[in-house]
Amino acid sequence: RNVEPMRDQHYCVKKRQSAANKPAVLSDRQLEVLMLVAEGATDNEIAVRLHLSVLTVSQYVVEIRARLD
């Protein structure tokens, strides 16, 4: 599994290979959004499921992608 729990309700997502070799750290909510994206859910579907606005979900996706790049 590529997700490890860390202190303070954050999660460490192991990257395959990166220049800095540092794992990305995601909050609980970011990890929740990431898991739904991985299941193929759209931003609209995620927003409804998590009771968030579509704009908020879109921002989470942007932040997650930035951390995983």
Side-chain angles (χ1 to χ4, degrees):
R1 192 169 166 176
N2 289 334
V3 178
E4 297 177 358
M6 294 181 70
R7 285 184 271 151
D8 302 326
Q9 302 298 316
H10 286 80
Y11 291 82
C12 170
V13 177
K14 294 180 187 176
K15 294 195 235 181
R16 292 189 177 165
Q17 287 292 335
S18 68
N21 263 344
K22 290 185 177 179
V25 177
L26 300 177
S27 69
D28 286 345
R29 184 60 100 180
Q30 288 170 328
L31 184 60
E32 206 171 5
V33 170
L34 177 59
M35 298 301 242
L36 292 171
V37 168
E39 290 175 8
T42 66
D43 288 2
N44 288 335
E45 293 167 338
I46 295 169
V48 169
R49 188 161 173 185
L50 299 180
H51 306 284
L52 299 170
S53 74
V54 175
L55 184 59
T56 299
V57 172
S58 297
Q59 187 58 40
Y60 276 127
V61 172
V62 167
E63 291 168 3
I64 291 165
R65 292 185 76 183
R67 290 184 184 198
L68 295 180
D69 280 339

